[in-house]
Amino acid sequence: MTRLELRDVRKSFGALEVLAGISLDVRAGEFVSILGPSGAGKSTLFQLLTGALKGEGSMRFDGAPLDGARFAFMPQRDALMPWRRVIDNATLGLEVQGMKRRAARERVAPLFAEFGLAGFERAWPAELSGGMRQRAALLRTVVQQRDMLLLDEPFGALDALTRAAMQRWLEGMWQSHRWTALLITHDVREAVLLSDRIYVLSARPARVVREVAVPLPRPRTESAALAREAAAIEAGILDTLLGQPPIRVPDHPMEN
Amino acid sequence: MALIRPFAKILPAALAFALLLTAWELCARLGGIAPTVLPAPSRVLAQAWENRAALAENTLPTIRATLAGFACSLLAAFTLSALVDFLPRLRRALFPLLIASQTLPLVAIAPLVVLWFGFGLLPKILLVALVTFFPMMVALVEGYAATSMEISQMLAAMGAGRWRIFWAARLPSALPYFFAGLRISITYAVVGAIFAEYAGAAKGLGIYMLSAKNNFRPDLVLAAVAVSSVLTLALFGLAVLVQRLAMPWENAGSEGKSDPDAGGRA
């Protein structure tokens, strides 16, 4: 079932054309990535989705025009409030929805273990490592129980090792929860590791230059054969992004 | 170590202060300067003790004026800063006026305010507010503007309205700025109250200094000065304490705890 459906979405800031007609679909339980060079307008697209900006084109959700509260949004970096304890950061979205703080805490507290944050409920965000902060931010995002997650380069600010660990962790989490998710990233490996499908954007003004299915079984970090296939897909996407003549890339998994 | 460290921190300042007092004492005693011109610190201290009842009687009204004026100033700074945050046009209308208010020479304004509002508490409150209001107001407005864009956008995406964003994000973001402004303005507060009393009051450190000066008692003037310094230092210390209590996260995580299982969960 198609949940999010964008058709020819455009956005310009004055004479600067940022999005030149983006069309994409996200189906229920699907993990989709938008991959593009820095400054391509990926974040602008999210701002259109969350309603922070107005653009042209059709944005529909479950067949109806997109209205307010469909998405739980996880911004770049973590946007944890340093003046709230970790648990109160996690409850923020629920409190905004009108839930009492105590009830929101009771809802969130049991999830801390699964997010690797057990024992840190009363800690300040400044006391957490980068990876833990991202997990707290993701916890704050998913407890809102919205229809779909919007993840805006969630691991972009992490060091390479922590990022790799977080990507594996997120893949595991996604496998058990099957959130419908749209991820923005410029990290090709991240997109291939996490996604069912990838939309590759051009540089500004952004349009979809390629749609790549990633039909690899999960978890994807286990076998060498999977890693080879993933690498082939990565190479093909990189060629598209860097404007090289594309080498033959299988759209379907090769059997080794 | 934890107990020794604060002492080690204030030791240089205490030494410098003691050195200054010693030099002053020696000058006054050995230089043959009359105590009606430059009294030695020991004499100031002795006279302060002898006149402690009168000093205390005049200190209380000053404390009252300082606290009442500062409370009004705080309330006004918060209210106006919030208004200005919601109505940017108001900011353009108000800020030139507020800046102009800071150019008024206190020497000229204090007697006028006393002339208009009498010898009671009100003119003191107004003058204390006049000198302390601006740093806090500016700090708050700058602090709101320093709110992280990502936090604001995230709150908006959660469905938060302007009020919610103000309370949940903009106000807490402004706290460090506010306390910086508070520490500046609180050092003006006592001086503002004394100035107001100097221009006309029944009781207070300001009027006490004036009469001591007119009676050729520089030792008592300096005793009152010492009291006002102690008052200001105490208020400053109180501001620092309140900041510690109001922002407990500030001292957290300077070292950052390690992540025991960053990679172990897939």
Side-chain angles (χ1 to χ4, degrees), chain A residues 47 73 76-77 79-83 92-93 95-96 113-114 116 120 124 126-127 129 132 135 140 144 146 165 168-169 172, chain B residues 150-151 153-160 164 168-169 172-173 248-249 252-254 256-263 265-266:
Chain A
Q47 287 179 309
F73 171 56
Q76 282 178 23
R77 293 181 284 276
L80 292 178
M81 294 177 168
W83 53 85
L92 185 64
E95 285 178 52
V96 170
E114 191 183 6
F120 288 87
W124 300 107
E127 296 173 308
S129 69
M132 295 175 91
R135 292 203 295 269
R140 178 192 60 201
Q144 295 173 44
R146 294 286 171 84
R168 287 182 182 209
W169 174 80
Chain B
E150 301 203 309
I151 287 179
Q153 280 179 6
M154 180 192 64
L155 274 167
M158 285 172 172
R164 169 76 78 163
S173 295
W249 60 90
S254 43
K257 287 178 190 164
S258 63
D259 187 352
D261 57 353
R265 312 182 67 87

Side-chain angles (χ1 to χ4, degrees), chain A residues 114 164-176 219-222, chain B residues 261-266:
Chain A
E114 191 183 6
M166 286 297 297
Q167 288 163 353
R168 287 182 182 209
W169 174 80
L170 181 60
E171 196 204 1
M173 288 295 282
W174 184 83
Q175 260 193 284
S176 50
R220 293 174 172 171
T221 40
E222 307 242 305
Chain B
D261 57 353
R265 312 182 67 87

Side-chain angles (χ1 to χ4, degrees), chain B residues 1-20:
Chain B
M1 279 311 282
L3 261 175
I4 295 170
R5 216 189 269 159
F7 286 115
K9 247 186 187 170
I10 60 166
L11 193 64
L15 272 178
F17 187 63
L19 205 66
L20 187 74

